[in-house]
């Protein structure tokens, strides 16, 4: 089966970098994608390794990006022990569509 997603959007907030217990890094960010004038989708993304570091370095709130990756369901528990899940795009590659200094489209 194929699991591939390609989406264009703007970063909703600055990226956040995390380190795992085995000292591997990943970056999380959310992009807003306008389906039409009235419907906006907010997509959580996670990037590992060098891709994550590049995103953290070159992207900020408002940056326009094209993300290619896989859709993954992540399960977690709330503080009240309720089981929840959400879908996250695991980034395989990213194209920076904004000027890295201004965040504006070129």
């Amino acid at each position: 089966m194929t699991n591939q997603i390609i989406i264009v959007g703007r970063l909703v907030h600055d990226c956040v970098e995390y380190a795992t217990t085995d000292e591997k890094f990943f970056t999380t960010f959310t992009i807003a994608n306008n389906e039409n004038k009235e419907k906006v989708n907010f997509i959580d993304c996670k990037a590992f390794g060098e891709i994550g570091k590049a995103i953290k370095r070159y992207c900020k709130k408002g940056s326009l990006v094209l993300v290619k990756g896989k859709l993954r369901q992540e399960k977690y528990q709330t503080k009240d022990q309720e089981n929840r899940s959400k879908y996250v795009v695991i980034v395989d590659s990213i194209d920076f569509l904004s000027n890295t200094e201004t965040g504006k489209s070129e």
Side-chain angles (χ1 to χ4, degrees), residues 12-66:
V12 175
H13 52 75
D14 289 339
C15 302
V16 179
E17 189 174 62
Y18 298 92
T20 62
T21 54
D22 55 352
E23 297 185 16
K24 293 183 181 177
F25 292 92
F26 67 94
T27 301
T28 62
F29 58 98
T30 302
I31 59 173
N33 170 273
N34 292 43
E35 190 172 316
N36 56 46
K37 289 183 180 182
E38 298 158 3
K39 175 69 175 156
V40 178
N41 299 305
F42 295 94
I43 297 103
D44 292 330
C45 300
K46 189 180 284 188
F48 295 88
E50 295 302 317
I51 294 173
K53 288 179 182 179
I55 294 167
K56 175 72 173 153
R57 181 174 179 191
Y58 295 112
C59 292
K60 61 182 180 180
K61 180 180 177 179
S63 295
L64 183 65
V65 294
L66 182 146

Side-chain angles (χ1 to χ4, degrees), residues 42-90:
F42 295 94
I43 297 103
D44 292 330
C45 300
K46 189 180 284 188
F48 295 88
E50 295 302 317
I51 294 173
K53 288 179 182 179
I55 294 167
K56 175 72 173 153
R57 181 174 179 191
Y58 295 112
C59 292
K60 61 182 180 180
K61 180 180 177 179
S63 295
L64 183 65
V65 294
L66 182 146
V67 173
K68 297 177 186 175
K70 300 178 279 297
L71 197 58
R72 179 182 294 164
Q73 184 181 24
E74 293 187 345
K75 297 179 181 182
Y76 62 96
Q77 280 191 336
T78 65
K79 292 178 183 177
D80 299 328
Q81 302 303 312
E82 294 179 28
N83 292 325
R84 301 284 171 97
S85 68
K86 67 177 183 173
Y87 286 94
V88 175
V89 174
I90 304 301

